[in-house]
Amino acid sequence: MAGVRQFDEREALARALEVFAVRGYRATSMQHLAVGTGVQRGSLYHAYGGKEQIFLRVFGDYTQAFLTGAAQTLRQDDRHSALLSFFDHCIRSITAGTPSRGCLSTRTVIDAGSEIPQVETVVRTFLDDLEDTVHNGLAAIDDDDLAVDLRSAARLVVTTTRGLAVMERAHHEPDRLRDIAAALVTSLTGHSRSG
């Protein structure tokens, strides 16, 4: 039947996300996407357009799910626990897979962000939304233990997630990432993991 997709769209988009995560935006071609998704290039072009359009689609789905998860992790009784939970969420995401896939947004902005304006815009929007998610999550907790104002804390937390993504690529050690995150949380809240 004309106009009916002959492939599982959800599965194809999930596989396209993995191709981008493993190869990076710049190194991914339509042929890589065709092989990775099991969908012919012509069908991909017809369904979504070119590489940029496919990336924008899968990146949007990926970041929306990530932000939803991040907001849920921040629903804790105190800011210290909320931040540790948030960082655990981030670390699980960047260490997922074998080998680990790393952080798609960080990799993309370094790899191709300034060359493709739409891609740069969606990554910047995601980082701004992530900052707002952290800010709003911390603001919802009736706690008075931050060493800096809420906006500065949120900005510092998001910036640290980018550093964790780079450290993961260099060391591939989730425990090291958790230690870095815990040190920041202690600095911000004034008490340690056990306190």
Side-chain angles (χ1 to χ4, degrees), residues 160-195:
T160 301
T161 65
R162 305 306 90 189
L164 291 175
V166 173
M167 293 300 287
E168 188 280 331
R169 294 286 82 189
H171 295 287
H172 307 284
E173 297 174 8
D175 287 342
R176 179 186 288 232
L177 305 182
R178 288 185 188 92
D179 287 345
I180 293 167
L184 175 69
V185 173
T186 297
S187 297
L188 286 173
T189 64
H191 50 84
S192 66
R193 194 185 315 214
S194 59

Side-chain angles (χ1 to χ4, degrees), residues 93-153:
S93 177
I94 64 176
T95 59
T98 305
S100 60
R101 68 178 178 209
C103 177
L104 181 60
S105 60
T106 300
R107 183 174 188 169
T108 300
V109 79
I110 292 168
D111 185 38
S114 61
E115 295 175 21
I116 301 108
Q118 266 193 295
V119 171
E120 181 180 33
T121 298
V122 296
V123 173
R124 184 183 308 118
T125 299
F126 165 65
L127 294 174
D128 290 345
D129 290 347
L130 185 57
E131 182 182 313
D132 287 343
T133 298
V134 173
H135 176 273
N136 295 341
L138 294 176
I141 299 169
D142 187 19
D143 202 338
D144 204 17
D145 66 351
L146 287 180
V148 296
D149 67 89
L150 284 172
R151 183 55 64 184
S152 296

Side-chain angles (χ1 to χ4, degrees), residues 20-70:
F20 283 118
V22 170
R23 298 189 63 82
Y25 180 86
R26 187 190 315 241
T28 298
S29 68
M30 285 299 288
Q31 182 59 32
H32 293 127
L33 290 167
V35 170
T37 61
V39 178
Q40 293 180 357
R41 274 189 297 181
S43 295
L44 289 173
Y45 277 116
H46 180 71
Y48 306 110
K51 177 176 89 167
E52 183 177 335
Q53 290 77 27
I54 294 171
F55 176 82
L56 293 172
R57 170 73 183 268
V58 300
F59 187 78
D61 293 346
Y62 164 78
T63 56
Q64 190 55 52
F66 185 87
L67 290 168
T68 298

Side-chain angles (χ1 to χ4, degrees), residues 68-86:
T68 298
Q72 290 170 349
T73 66
L74 288 160
R75 292 186 189 127
Q76 304 291 328
D77 292 334
D78 61 86
R79 290 177 178 155
H80 183 83
S81 298
L83 288 171
L84 288 177
S85 178
F86 169 80

